[in-house]
Amino acid sequence: MTLLIYTFCEKVLKVMLNGKAFCLAALCLTLWACSTPILDITSISWKTYSNLRYGFEFPYPSNWTPSITPTNDDGIALVSPKNSNVEIRGWASNQLAQPIDEDSETSANYNFQTTQGLKGRLLVETGNTVSLMKLILSQNQVEYHWQGKSPSQEFSNYYPLFYYIAQQYRITRR
């Protein structure tokens, strides 16, 4: 896998030298950083956040602390004990209207599946200062959101943790 990414990066750099597509370099660096997991998921002690109002849950490291919780009980934000700029959020909201075109929510819009079998969209946004991983699921007129956020220079360290939590996200009430 590392050799494949290295080869890909080498080709991207050759393209860049010809003055083309700087976004490919960012993708290359992100893939390179994410190919070497720094975090051992099995060594983490876990707790589970459960939201009774919307019926969803996800695991989080037991040493992470909740920040201010919304009074409407739509979700939670948890902060890393090592860096207060690293956080995990989970929340849900009711969808007020159905899409006009029922076929617009096809499997072509999905790029991710949880271990529970739920299909959704997983997005990774890398910025200059902050990077995010976002999971969005829709079911029974409820939109479920989960997000992991860290400073961009540390994102590769947290990527395996964020990805694991997104995989374990569950909807408990269907």
Side-chain angles (χ1 to χ4, degrees):
M1 176 74 168
T2 303
L3 180 61
L4 177 66
I5 292 172
Y6 176 78
T7 305
F8 174 75
C9 289
E10 186 178 43
K11 289 179 182 180
V12 168
L13 289 173
K14 285 180 184 176
V15 170
M16 281 184 54
L17 291 175
N18 292 328
K20 310 234 179 175
F22 289 102
C23 65
L24 287 175
L27 174 62
C28 174
L29 291 173
T30 301
L31 288 173
W32 181 268
C34 295
S35 69
T36 329
I38 296 171
L39 188 63
D40 180 14
I41 300 297
T42 59
S43 68
I44 296 174
S45 175
W46 296 94
K47 287 186 178 178
T48 300
Y49 169 74
S50 297
N51 183 287
L52 298 176
R53 179 178 181 195
Y54 286 104
F56 68 90
E57 65 184 31
F58 59 87
Y60 67 93
S62 62
N63 60 345
W64 288 44
T65 56
S67 63
I68 299 171
T69 305
T71 56
N72 67 357
D73 197 30
D74 69 347
I76 193 168
L78 300 152
V79 180
S80 169
K82 295 179 182 177
N83 184 341
S84 63
N85 293 319
V86 178
E87 67 178 25
I88 298 167
R89 291 181 179 265
W91 71 96
S93 61
N94 291 313
Q95 293 175 327
L96 299 178
Q98 289 285 15
I100 295 172
D101 179 11
E102 289 291 325
D103 293 331
S104 67
E105 289 293 318
T106 64
S107 61
N109 293 328
Y110 303 127
N111 67 354
F112 186 77
Q113 186 170 332
T114 67
T115 56
Q116 186 184 23
L118 303 172
K119 293 182 180 177
R121 293 184 313 273
L122 186 69
L123 309 168
V124 175
E125 298 175 7
T126 54
N128 290 333
T129 56
V130 175
S131 293
L132 305 165
M133 178 180 289
K134 297 179 180 180
L135 174 63
I136 304 166
L137 305 165
S138 295
Q139 193 170 79
N140 298 332
Q141 295 185 304
V142 176
E143 190 165 89
Y144 298 90
H145 296 265
W146 178 88
Q147 173 182 290
K149 177 181 97 170
S150 78
S152 293
Q153 69 272 18
E154 298 175 33
F155 188 70
S156 62
N157 297 338
Y158 289 98
Y159 183 93
L161 173 74
F162 293 162
Y163 192 84
Y164 175 79
I165 295 171
Q167 285 180 314
Q168 301 306 312
Y169 189 100
R170 295 180 51 81
I171 296 176
T172 57
R173 179 180 53 194
R174 292 191 190 195

